[in-house]
Amino acid sequence: AIPGHCIAGGCILALACDVRVMVDGGKGRFGVNETTFGLVPPPWLTQMMVDAAGLKAAAPLVQRGLLLPAEEALAAGLVDQTASLSRLAEESSARLNELLAVPDHARAQVKHQLRHTLADTLQYDGGRSDDLDLFMDLATSTDVQVQLKSYLKSLKKK
């Protein structure tokens, strides 16, 4: 259940879920905006977006750091359903119960089949080290620091 914004780390957590139901009509946005600060999302995060939305939809979202309202996130395939805030818990529970109706061993094995490539990527230590090195190089660069400070200043104004 996504009751509002689902950005960056929240987006990662949501993309790891089997089903995503987001509140509609609100101000909440879904996506990763790292590129707008000069950062590069790690390959596994980009792959999670591609797995959810397909390459054609995910590529511009990740490249441009777009944050989509619920209805657009639904159309892109990033969320599975939208619901009013008053029905969010009920709709999310209904989707969860649909999954739980499938025997655990079968559901777990199918999930493994669908996500094993991504899981293997995350378990490869060399990739994690490369991701961390790239992130640190970018995050500590002068250009990115300027962008981040500007963003934080804009949040304080809100």
Side-chain angles (χ1 to χ4, degrees):
I2 304 168
H5 288 304
C6 193
I7 300 170
C11 183
I12 294 169
L13 182 59
L15 289 170
C17 295
D18 294 321
V19 176
R20 294 168 291 281
V21 181
M22 186 171 182
V23 71
D24 60 15
K27 293 183 180 182
R29 298 290 183 265
F30 192 104
V32 292
N33 59 347
E34 283 83 344
T35 57
T36 62
F37 308 118
L39 296 171
V40 177
W44 51 265
L45 174 53
T46 302
Q47 188 59 52
M48 291 175 82
M49 293 285 284
V50 169
D51 288 349
L55 181 60
K56 188 162 182 70
L61 298 177
V62 177
Q63 289 173 340
R64 296 173 46 209
L66 300 177
L67 302 176
L68 303 179
E71 293 75 15
E72 291 180 35
L74 177 65
L78 295 170
V79 298
D80 301 291
Q81 181 180 342
T82 60
S84 66
L85 183 58
S86 63
R87 295 198 37 85
L88 185 63
E90 182 180 339
E91 294 295 334
S92 298
S93 293
R95 296 302 292 262
L96 174 61
N97 287 330
E98 290 170 1
L99 288 172
L100 294 175
V102 177
D104 288 346
H105 68 279
R107 185 171 31 84
Q109 187 60 39
V110 168
K111 187 172 182 175
H112 174 75
Q113 290 174 1
L114 293 169
R115 297 188 181 198
H116 76 87
T117 302
L118 180 58
D120 291 348
T121 300
L122 289 170
Q123 290 176 354
Y124 170 62
D125 184 50
R128 288 193 308 255
S129 296
D130 294 345
D131 290 349
L132 181 59
D133 290 344
L134 176 61
F135 176 81
M136 291 305 296
D137 287 345
L138 290 171
T140 58
S141 73
T142 303
D143 290 344
V144 170
Q145 287 295 309
V146 168
Q147 291 290 332
L148 289 172
K149 285 178 185 175
S150 175
Y151 177 67
L152 291 174
K153 188 182 271 188
S154 75
L155 291 177
K156 287 181 183 179
K157 290 178 184 177
K158 292 180 181 182

